[in-house]
Amino acid sequence: MFGDLFEEDFSFISNDRCGKGKKSKPRDSEPPAPRDFTNLSGIKNQGGTCYLNSLLQTLLFTPEFREALFSLGPEELGTLGDSNKPDTKVRIIPLQLQRLFAQLLLLDQQAASTTDLTESFGWNSHEEMRQHDVQELNRILFSALETSLVGTSGHDLINRLYHGIVVNQIVCKECKNISERQEDFLDLTVAVKGVAGLEEALWNMYVEEEYFENENLYRCGACDKLVEASKSAKLRKLPPFLTISLLRFNFDFEKCERYKETSCYTFPIQINLRPFCEQTEMDDSEYMYELFSVIIHKGGCYGGHYHVYIRDVDELGNWQLQEEEDRLIEDKALRDTENGEEEEHPLAVLKGILSEEESKQIPVDQLGQKLLEKKGVSWNKKYRKQHGALRKFLQNHPQIFHFSPDENKVGLKEKHKLPFKSHSQGQDLLSPPQKNDLQWNSEKSPMRPRDSSVGCHWFDLNDSKVQPIKEKDIEKQFQGKESAYMLFYRKSQLKRPPEARGNPRYQIPEHLLNEMNAANTELQKERAECDSANNGIDLHLHLSSCYKFHNGALHPSLTWKESVVDLTIDRRKTLGELRQSVFQILESWEGDMILSIAKPLPAGLHLYHILDGDELTLDGIGLADGADIFVWNGKEVGGTKVMTGPEHEPVVVNVLHLAEYNEGGKGQHFTESQHVFSCSTKLGDLRRALAPSGGIILKNSSGPDKEAKNWEVFLEEDMKETVKSVGLTDGCSVLILDSHDQSFVNVSSGNLTAFTYDISWLQVKNFCTTDEEKQVKITATIETVMSDIKMKAIRELQLEEELANDSCLRPVSANGKLLSPVPEDYTVKEAELKMGSLLGLCHGKAPTSTQLFLYFIVGSDQNASSEMEIVVEETASVKECLNLMLEKAGLSGDNWHLRRIDWCYEAGEALSQEDATLKELNVCKGDTLVLTEGKLPPKGFLKIPIWWFKFSSHGGKAHDQVSGLTCKMDALQLCPAGSEECIHTDEDLCYAGSIEIAGEASVEDLKMQVLTLPCFQEQIVPLPSFLRAWTMDSKRPGKLLRNNKQHLNECKLGARVEICIEPLQKEENLGPHELLLRVQMSIPGERDYHDPMDLVWDVSKECTAWALRQRVASHYCLPVDKIEIAKYFPERFEWLPISSWTQQISKRKRKKKQESLQSAPYYLKDGDIIGVKNLLLDDTKDFSTVRDDVGKEKQRQLALEKKKSRKAERLQDHIVTEEKQNIKHRKPEVALSINVGIFR
């Protein structure tokens, strides 16, 4: 109904990022988060269901509604387990609502799901993504509940709680007669525009009177004349719960657009309704109502978001504002310090340490060390058991501590820094709190502070997020784009029993309690498993006995896998526990064991710092998942001393020399070799090693954004610099020019002046690992083989050599799409790659020259299905390719076939020859195929949807069927052609199913097979000749299949034909020259027609107007000159008279060939409607009906609207701005509905 009037706005949702060094897992694999400190559960948003979530939370926090719903047991509602049984009546909606309420009350999760509830509504995924008006939902949901609870003890649940009565009265000023009319209501709709607040709106509705006077008089039934009168309305009956809907959205008739009323509109927390009631003599308490829920709409007229403020009547939640919680934590820490308790609170200790520091932040490891120095005991021994790991404890108090972006350093927030004074022994102590500070008394103050008034705690429930608010925050929703939209009041007299206060289990049925207990147990189990998995880190232990040191780095003496031992350990364990685990693995280890951080580099394995501090946690020392640890004695490996640390890091340099000869190729060629140097090596030593006889060294300083020909000369003063200081890193290239090659260099400018344009590059980007997509440049010529480029890229990207057997190079298009892999035996030239192209190093083997690399999607919807890839032999059959794609997509069954992608990227031609090879069908490398559900009929067979059509001859005028035929046929399209169900669209037309039939079969065989469909089982059809078969054309019966013996192939039906079957009262065998028409006689004096009748007309001799007039006149036994006939065009609502000019021409002229009615302008064909007028009774020449006038007027209005819209669009094109172009298109307006079973 409202379309995207309240389209969802997700701007308030933040993106969570994974912490450094932590494993990232799919969201679906993690159990739902537990409830936060409020102890209340939110509701997940399914995409556009925030309006539903707000209303459901309001109903949940209406205890009387909740308990009335829980009071209905399985004996009245049934059970969800019986919902699929055919003969049982299960009231699914109230059962799912009960279950959802139990989850919200008892299940320990941050947010509950409404998927089961919306499925019980009959909503699909499109409905869940579309947002509606919450006021509309309130009425529809109550109606659905009333229908669902018919025949149960809760049949009056809605009326009992929400039903009220308004009485409208008109009082005659003369006879004082009172005329009154009662109106029932479940909610009151009040105006917002031009009104200051709720009380004023109610005053205008139920106190102010409207007067009938002067020219506007009222006809009194008692006086029987026009008299002066007054009209008023009063509230006759007040419900226990009063729902008020605010008319925030209006329509501007001048601008022809909707708008939201954002002016200030006040409403009280408590309201006395006595002035607005008919009976006012009762006690004040009978009229007092208290606000307990405010549904808020944030946004504009065509988009926004709902959330709700709710008063916790039963005190189920923990109401604690963040600033008060911070203050209480600090006061407790100060109290512990002041009283000199033996067990100091860790907050006070840590704040004391951080307040001493001059720097704003210190490393977390250093904080743990300072705690050890100050207290003489580590965090793990004193606090870990009660408060957990140090880092986690700091993260749990973000209001006091703040981390650096990399979370390695921690500091104290400015407002929490404490003054210090020096103790006589030099120990710093916290200054005691002042006398006027808040005093903590455990006997007087409860551990869970609450407001003094009962049930006055308010919460903001915003989908999954729940947070406490103050009562005064409601005033912020009086006006603006974020303002109140629905108000819910409860009678002040309604009191809650003491046992319900703070008890979420109150009145919940036993079977739901058991279900929630079991679910909580399972959740705890899942969270424990997930916590263990999330905190587990995989470490790679490199054993020194399996390594040797040469060429500046450590290299395994065996294979890489044989030299490494994998160990999984909890990151919360200490370094000492890790050391103990390594000892247990290496039982034969003797002597000291040193653990050093290692890192695989292109040159080999290099060691960095030694891990020290056995009392520190692995997380505290920054040990990340996948870290490499070298296990050794700390001195030597294999008798060779090992240099450790970043200052001795080895660097692999590509060294280029000019080739001594060039095999006729264009430009200069080079020889390339790799050398390893320590990053602390002097440049002079490097030159002596690479150019003993002297020469010039040039460095290629090209980066990702620089040209490949940017070479720099190292001058003599650079020779004292180190490899690291001059910027040489792994993969950098240096060019060595001997003395006779120095003519190529302009030393003064430092540039290379010749042949540099021939040094070519290909860029390779790493797509094999998800953590980092690194990019490198590889030197190459047009004759370089792709396998060599791949191996160079693997080495420079520091990947494992084993990856060469399971990787390939794929060109990357301009829009970032990975194209078909390049065969490894191709050269750069054969692969048609341009120098400088970007290639992606990806998992998977490259196809050979006899294989095809194909893309495929499941279904034709690109948004719903992601593109997948597959490599198949070009000699594989279509069936084999289909099976491979099904296996890769995780699908099964034989109800699938393949189609090509057409030019507009939709499913096109089907690959129907399953035994043909892909090569025979011209399927090429890089093509995209569509995996389509539905089995193709066998070769030579047709799959034909069948429709059942009975041309009605009763129940209304014939023209109702004629004019309504188009509408009926439109309705057919609502039924999918693949459906096997008989779906009735109206009385005369329904979808019957589909059949598979050979193309060689006859029309008679088609009719015989149609009779086997379920919808035809109850029909009595003696012979196939008692059925009439039509093809469907433009949503209407089109071509008549007249010859029962004709083969279907001869009928030229096409691949997507649909057949309409019409039953007959008598046998029919139409000849090839017989035309079937529907004739109907007009009703004299009325613009209408009698029921239509079938008329068979033989057109073998002639098909002229004169011949048709004769046939129609003979059918009705009327003289030819006393009738007029016309053909009806239903799509235009027009009648075209069939001219009778041939009556006056001579017989001689008549012998000339006359124009056929089967050509222009009549195009007469089977099934056409022919209107007939009897001139003896009706001499009007107008064939049209009232419905034709209505139809034409609608078409005219539609044409005018289109013309206006086109004109407005052209005008808008001239003034449209860039900002306007970014506005989202509005979704079509769709009515909201909830499907409910019949329980009467």
Side-chain angles (χ1 to χ4, degrees), residues 762 781-787 789 822-833:
L762 286 174
T781 68
I782 58 174
E783 298 301 325
T784 305
V785 181
M786 299 305 299
S787 59
I789 295 175
V822 181
E824 294 192 356
D825 55 351
Y826 278 22
T827 63
V828 174
K829 184 177 181 180
E830 290 171 337
E832 300 179 355
L833 294 174

Side-chain angles (χ1 to χ4, degrees), residues 78-137:
T79 60
L80 292 173
D82 296 336
S83 58
N84 294 324
K85 294 181 180 179
D87 298 328
T88 57
K89 285 189 176 182
V90 179
R91 305 169 194 265
I92 299 181
I93 292 178
L95 282 173
Q96 291 291 7
L97 199 56
Q98 278 186 347
R99 191 164 177 267
L100 175 64
F101 282 2
Q103 290 175 350
L104 291 170
L105 290 169
L106 299 177
L107 202 57
D108 184 20
Q109 59 181 4
Q110 185 180 1
S113 172
T114 56
T115 304
D116 292 338
L117 179 64
T118 53
E119 285 181 359
S120 73
F121 291 169
W123 293 0
N124 54 28
S125 58
H126 297 292
E127 188 64 44
E128 290 156 357
M129 292 298 294
R130 183 184 294 117
Q131 193 176 112
H132 291 279
D133 179 22
V134 69
Q135 297 175 1
E136 180 190 17
L137 173 70

Side-chain angles (χ1 to χ4, degrees), residues 20 57 101 369 473 727 741 860 943 972 1038 1097 1114 1154:
K20 182 180 178 182
Q57 292 283 21
F101 282 2
Q369 188 65 30
D473 291 335
D741 298 322
S860 57
K943 187 171 183 178
L972 296 181
W1097 177 33
S1114 171
Q1154 300 176 21

Side-chain angles (χ1 to χ4, degrees), residues 952-989:
S952 178
S953 59
H954 58 82
K957 301 300 181 183
H959 198 63
D960 290 343
Q961 292 122 21
V962 177
S963 298
L965 187 58
T966 303
C967 299
K968 293 178 181 179
M969 303 311 294
D970 287 343
L972 296 181
Q973 302 307 309
L974 299 174
C975 179
S979 174
E980 296 297 331
E981 298 182 23
C982 180
I983 304 174
H984 291 267
T985 53
D986 60 25
E987 186 182 38
D988 301 324
L989 204 50

Side-chain angles (χ1 to χ4, degrees), residues 156-183:
D156 61 342
L157 187 152
I158 301 299
N159 277 341
R160 189 168 72 246
L161 298 180
Y162 297 95
H163 176 257
I165 298 175
V166 172
V167 58
N168 295 286
Q169 296 180 339
I170 300 179
V171 180
C172 174
K173 289 294 183 68
E174 295 191 7
C175 67
K176 306 303 180 183
N177 178 59
I178 299 176
S179 173
E180 69 176 34
R181 177 173 54 88
Q182 282 194 172
E183 292 180 6

Side-chain angles (χ1 to χ4, degrees), residues 1073 1097-1108 1110 1142 1150 1152-1158:
H1073 300 294
W1097 177 33
D1098 187 356
V1099 295
S1100 57
K1101 294 183 179 180
E1102 58 179 342
C1103 183
T1104 61
W1106 174 253
L1108 179 58
Q1110 285 184 317
T1142 51
R1150 195 180 304 165
K1152 295 182 180 180
K1153 186 176 181 180
Q1154 300 176 21
E1155 292 185 3
S1156 171
L1157 292 179
Q1158 292 177 316

Side-chain angles (χ1 to χ4, degrees), residues 702-900:
S702 61
D705 303 320
K706 296 182 180 179
E707 294 295 332
K709 56 180 78 170
N710 190 7
W711 291 82
E712 295 178 2
V713 177
F714 286 126
L715 303 178
E716 192 62 36
E717 52 267 27
D718 296 328
M719 294 300 111
K720 296 180 181 179
E721 300 290 334
T722 63
V723 169
K724 184 176 182 180
S725 62
V726 297
L728 285 178
T729 57
D730 287 315
C732 281
S733 297
V734 296
L735 178 61
I736 307 298
L737 296 181
D738 295 331
S739 56
H740 62 276
D741 298 322
Q742 295 181 16
S743 59
F744 292 112
V745 178
N746 182 353
V747 180
S748 61
S749 63
N751 292 326
L752 193 63
T753 58
F755 64 73
T756 54
Y757 58 89
D758 290 319
I759 301 177
S760 302
W761 304 83
L762 286 174
Q763 302 177 82
V764 180
K765 192 172 185 178
N766 177 22
F767 287 98
C768 288
T769 56
T770 57
D771 54 348
E772 181 182 5
E773 294 182 356
K774 188 178 177 182
Q775 186 171 313
V776 295
K777 286 190 175 182
I778 306 298
T779 56
T781 68
I782 58 174
E783 298 301 325
T784 305
V785 181
M786 299 305 299
S787 59
D788 293 340
I789 295 175
K790 184 179 77 172
M791 290 306 300
K792 287 183 181 180
I794 289 175
R795 286 194 294 269
E796 294 203 16
L797 289 169
Q798 305 172 18
L799 302 175
E800 296 182 5
E801 296 287 341
E802 290 83 352
L803 190 62
N805 299 324
D806 186 31
S807 61
C808 60
L809 292 175
R810 299 177 61 177
V812 182
S813 66
N815 59 3
K817 181 180 179 181
L818 289 169
L819 303 180
S820 177
V822 181
E824 294 192 356
D825 55 351
Y826 278 22
T827 63
V828 174
K829 184 177 181 180
E830 290 171 337
E832 300 179 355
L833 294 174
K834 294 181 180 180
M835 287 302 175
S837 299
L838 177 61
L839 302 174
L841 181 65
C842 307
H843 280 296
K845 293 185 177 180
T848 64
S849 56
T850 61
Q851 291 179 322
L852 295 176
F853 179 87
L854 302 175
Y855 301 97
F856 72 96
I857 58 174
V858 180
S860 57
D861 188 356
Q862 285 290 301
N863 297 324
S865 174
S866 58
E867 197 172 61
M868 289 178 274
E869 304 163 351
I870 195 171
V871 176
V872 294
E873 294 289 339
E874 62 181 10
T875 56
S877 65
V878 173
K879 189 170 185 179
E880 292 170 342
C881 180
L882 173 63
N883 291 334
L884 289 173
M885 290 180 176
L886 286 173
E887 182 180 353
K888 182 150 189 178
L891 302 171
S892 60
D894 56 355
N895 195 31
W896 296 89
H897 65 277
L898 288 177
R899 291 183 178 271
R900 298 181 191 268

Side-chain angles (χ1 to χ4, degrees), residues 6 240 268 589 724 876 1048 1066 1225:
F6 305 104
W589 185 274
K724 184 176 182 180
L1048 297 179
K1066 60 181 181 179
H1225 295 290

